[in-house]
Amino acid sequence: MPENAFLNSDTDKRLAIIVPYRDRLEHLKQLIPHLINYFERDKIDRNISVTIHIVEQLGDQEFNRGKLCNCGVSLSQSDADYFCFHDVDYLPIWSDYSYCETPTHLIWHGLPIMDHYNKFFGAVTMFNKADFEKTNGFSNKYWGWGYEDEELRERCGTVGLSIERREGTYQSLPHENVGYNSDGKHNPIATRNLNLCKKRLKNLKELMSKDGLNSLDYRLDGTSKIKIDSKIYENVFLHKVEI
Ligand code: UDP
Ligand code: MN
């Protein structure tokens, strides 16, 4: 056995964590210091080279999580080998961000919802660069809450990529539920996105070839280092974009 064979041979792979973001400052203030401390702890993913990219949507159009994630890839890809799409409201307690050979979902414990753990592909996911290019990224067409993550999972299936599930434990930060009314039913925007997704899945192979990374259109307003409670974080970038 070669010397040091027990070391993870993939630690030379560079990870870009991409956080789609707008107007959730209280969560961002918790996530950033938490992630920095998380990666300093001695565990399987400690030695990964990580940059964090907060991609902030400017303006008051409906939020578009998928498109912001595509922007994050476009902005970080020259310095990254794989990408983690990370909601601002999940703090890793014990997870595994090491390189993934196939699209990977990282959360198992700590999802506040739900009955379909085995299908859910939102919140915190990872892709290596080649796989994300194969899916042509996220769709850019989901405005407002919901279903961009479902389409991404179906895009993976359409190009023959299977999904790995790691058993990460996360703490979720509470917020108002954007996709549902108080009676637990989808609101009109979520219903619209559900219907959009259902319709697109009938013809996904063709639609996904025309909509995603290859059709991404945005304007970068500026990139800066992020400052939280007067501390400047190296390797954490705030990209403001018009989409
Ligand atoms: N998000 C945001 N501002 C918004 C809506 C969404 O920053 O106004 C980002 C944020 O990273 C959030 C993610 O998109 O964690 C998913 O949205 P949300 O938390 O509303 O979805 P849910 O928790 O219902 O899956
Ligand atoms: Mn959330």
Side-chain angles (χ1 to χ4, degrees):
M1 194 156 84
E3 205 182 336
N4 287 337
F6 59 89
L7 287 176
N8 181 351
S9 61
D10 285 321
T11 49
D12 60 322
K13 300 277 203 301
R14 299 155 306 165
L15 171 63
I17 295 182
I18 293 166
V19 183
Y21 176 77
R22 182 170 70 189
D23 197 20
R24 300 253 176 121
L25 189 57
E26 287 312 309
H27 288 174
L28 193 64
K29 279 179 162 181
Q30 290 182 69
L31 178 72
I32 299 306
H34 183 95
L35 276 177
I36 301 298
N37 290 332
Y38 173 88
F39 281 103
E40 279 171 5
R41 286 201 335 250
D42 191 11
K43 54 189 168 31
I44 190 168
D45 46 14
R46 180 188 170 165
N47 292 316
I48 302 171
S49 138
V50 184
T51 50
I52 300 173
H53 301 263
I54 298 134
V55 187
E56 180 176 13
Q57 179 172 338
L58 295 174
D60 49 17
Q61 244 187 312
E62 286 173 287
F63 192 75
N64 188 328
R65 178 176 177 271
K67 192 168 181 186
L68 289 172
C69 290
N70 285 343
C71 292
V73 168
S74 158
L75 291 163
S76 66
Q77 63 185 342
S78 55
D79 299 314
D81 302 296
Y82 65 119
F83 307 99
C84 177
F85 305 110
H86 209 300
D87 280 3
V88 74
D89 50 10
Y90 285 94
L91 310 182
I93 306 301
W94 194 263
S95 190
D96 176 5
Y97 291 81
S98 48
Y99 186 74
C100 59
E101 298 291 348
T102 192
T104 297
H105 194 238
L106 293 192
I107 302 189
W108 189 257
H109 304 285
L111 283 171
I113 13 170
M114 75 184 26
D115 51 6
H116 57 293
Y117 267 60
N118 280 316
K119 287 190 83 185
F120 181 59
F121 197 51
V124 187
T125 53
M126 291 201 312
F127 279 76
N128 67 48
K129 197 181 264 180
D131 287 351
F132 197 63
E133 280 166 10
K134 255 188 220 166
T135 69
N136 196 17
F138 280 87
S139 168
N140 298 309
K141 294 188 186 291
Y142 289 82
W143 297 90
W145 188 94
Y147 293 94
E148 79 296 334
D149 52 347
E150 301 269 326
E151 176 165 329
L152 184 63
R153 186 192 62 231
E154 297 303 319
R155 285 176 173 234
C156 293
T158 304
V159 294
L161 293 169
S162 60
I163 286 171
E164 181 185 329
R165 292 186 181 274
R166 294 185 186 167
E167 293 184 8
T169 298
Y170 283 75
Q171 182 193 340
S172 70
L173 302 174
H175 62 80
E176 270 180 35
N177 203 326
V178 183
Y180 294 85
N181 294 323
S182 52
D183 60 3
K185 296 213 171 90
H186 268 345
N187 61 26
I189 291 171
T191 304
R192 186 192 68 204
N193 283 345
L194 168 61
N195 291 333
L196 176 69
C197 184
K198 278 187 188 157
K199 192 168 160 215
R200 287 172 57 85
L201 293 192
K202 291 184 186 146
N203 189 20
L204 186 58
K205 196 168 176 190
E206 195 200 327
L207 293 175
M208 67 185 269
S209 70
K210 294 188 291 210
D211 160 40
L213 286 177
N214 69 357
S215 64
L216 180 64
D217 176 28
Y218 69 99
R219 192 184 73 78
L220 176 64
D221 190 64
T223 294
S224 53
K225 293 241 177 77
I226 194 159
K227 197 172 173 186
I228 292 174
D229 294 336
S230 69
K231 184 171 159 103
I232 294 181
Y233 288 85
E234 296 298 321
N235 300 326
V236 183
F237 303 96
L238 174 65
H239 309 281
K240 297 187 179 206
V241 294
E242 269 172 23
I243 61 175

